[in-house]
Amino acid sequence: MLDRVVGDPRRGHPVAGFGVVAGALESVGYRDRRGAGVVHEVVLVGGVVAVGAGVERMVGRRMRREGVRTRLGVKAFDIPLVVVTAVATWTALGGTTLARTGREMADRLERGDVGGARELLPSLCGRDPEVLDADGLARAAVESIAENTSDATVAPLVWGAIAGVPGLLGYRAVNTLDAMVGYRNDRYRRFGWAAARTDDLANLLPARLSGLLTVALAPLSGGRPAAALRAWQRDAAAHPSPNAGVAESTMAGALGIRLGGPTEYRHGTELRPTLGEGPSPRVPDLRRAVALSEAVQAATVLVTALAVLLGGARRRSCGQRGVLP
């Protein structure tokens, strides 16, 4: 709810602060070797996870020390833990800003403001906007909406459900480092290897949950679940990313469009595989992609909340029977 109301702050976002620290550490520790990249990843992600675990443990210790319960069986100091978890979740999420940016991109393209759309594209992805026309900008935006629905919303919620505050903050650190150094260019091919592989592992489960929800919710965008599932099964494995391929192919299938093809970055052009069947995306398809993204985000909240509730009930049941959960 906090993310829906506030979105990402324009200034002073904790992730931006982490990026400053990561950049400073890179300037000191950069070496064109995988080992240096591993150290970079371990120090930064490990430090963030340790902070999250420390805060959660401190609040939990206070709850155990108080030991007071309400009529509902909720510890009196559960509220501070809820607040800490809520702030950590808001820090890790980016779904509202993603949807707002997608709509603004559609608005500018509809007005014929290609220059304005090019200025906005770096907020969505790292492609070179100067070489893209209106259709190319629409395609880039749809692909970014698809991938970041998984990365910016589904994955943080999944890791929050699995590991609480350390999971939320640790995942955001992993994803941020991948965005900073996880490239295959001359500078980062070796140094960024650890960041890219860690991000791949962290997103294996979330990307597949995102794909399943996209398939299930395809009718909300005028699509068919069977088409989204077929695109996943046929096309996802051809994508260079084991996770982006799932997110983009299911989105393409759900919208009845074709994604992929030549993809221009500042470091050069990559030929991406074709995902889905149909015409190239246009502005109305971008609006449909944003709507489907928001539906997947809402469904993920329900799924992960249910998983936490069921997990908590199982642990309480096992504890009452004296059985290890």
Side-chain angles (χ1 to χ4, degrees):
M1 290 177 65
L2 185 61
D3 180 61
R4 279 289 177 264
V5 173
V6 178
D8 292 330
R10 296 184 181 275
R11 297 181 181 178
H13 197 294
V15 174
F18 173 80
V20 171
V21 173
L25 187 61
E26 179 187 341
S27 67
V28 174
Y30 174 83
R31 302 290 186 277
D32 189 19
R33 298 194 298 268
R34 284 188 176 183
V38 170
V39 171
H40 188 72
E41 185 81 3
V42 169
V43 169
L44 286 165
V45 176
V48 168
V49 170
V51 169
V55 171
E56 194 173 64
R57 185 176 302 141
M58 180 178 63
V59 175
R61 187 177 299 144
R62 184 181 178 188
M63 289 163 54
R64 290 192 298 271
R65 185 170 63 246
E66 181 66 18
V68 179
R69 293 179 178 272
T70 69
R71 293 180 183 178
L72 297 178
V74 180
K75 290 183 179 179
F77 281 99
D78 275 354
I79 292 177
L81 183 58
V82 168
V83 171
V84 167
T85 305
V87 172
T89 306
W90 167 73
T91 298
L93 287 176
T96 296
T97 298
L98 177 68
R100 288 174 181 170
T101 306
R103 289 196 185 92
E104 177 62 22
M105 175 69 77
D107 290 341
R108 295 185 185 188
L109 289 174
E110 280 185 342
R111 296 195 302 265
D113 184 9
V114 175
R118 285 172 176 161
E119 291 177 359
L120 190 61
L121 187 66
S123 300
L124 287 172
C125 60
R127 301 184 191 182
D128 185 359
E130 298 305 321
V131 301
L132 298 177
D133 59 11
D135 290 344
L137 290 164
R139 180 199 134 195
V142 171
E143 290 176 351
S144 180
I145 293 289
E147 181 176 1
N148 284 298
T149 296
S150 177
D151 289 358
T153 302
V154 177
L157 291 171
V158 166
W159 279 105
I162 292 171
V165 173
L168 286 159
L169 300 184
Y171 171 76
R172 181 45 62 202
V174 166
N175 191 246
T176 302
L177 286 176
D178 178 61
M180 294 181 70
V181 304
Y183 298 102
R184 299 178 181 177
N185 56 24
D186 291 340
R187 176 175 174 83
Y188 292 124
R189 190 178 305 279
R190 284 176 284 273
F191 182 80
W193 173 83
R197 297 291 78 77
T198 303
D199 185 74
D200 285 345
L201 290 172
N203 280 289
L204 282 174
L205 174 60
R208 278 136 193 88
L209 175 60
S210 181
L212 288 172
L213 293 175
T214 301
V215 169
L217 298 171
L220 297 180
S221 64
R224 295 182 296 111
L229 184 60
R230 183 168 59 251
W232 181 353
Q233 294 172 332
R234 185 190 61 224
D235 301 331
H239 197 283
S241 166
N243 303 311
V246 174
E248 293 181 23
S249 63
T250 52
M251 180 68 79
L255 299 178
I257 58 175
R258 184 181 69 254
L259 299 175
T263 305
E264 295 83 5
Y265 294 95
R266 296 190 184 279
H267 61 266
T269 300
E270 297 181 10
L271 184 61
R272 294 290 177 84
T274 299
L275 307 173
E277 298 175 319
S280 297
R282 298 184 179 276
V283 174
D285 300 312
L286 175 54
R287 292 197 184 280
R288 293 166 61 213
V290 171
L292 184 54
S293 171
E294 290 186 308
V296 170
Q297 294 175 37
T300 305
V301 172
L302 297 177
V303 169
T304 52
L306 181 61
V308 170
L309 289 173
L310 292 176
R314 180 172 178 270
R315 285 192 296 272
R316 286 192 295 272
S317 175
C318 291
Q320 290 169 359
R321 299 197 309 267
V323 179
L324 288 175

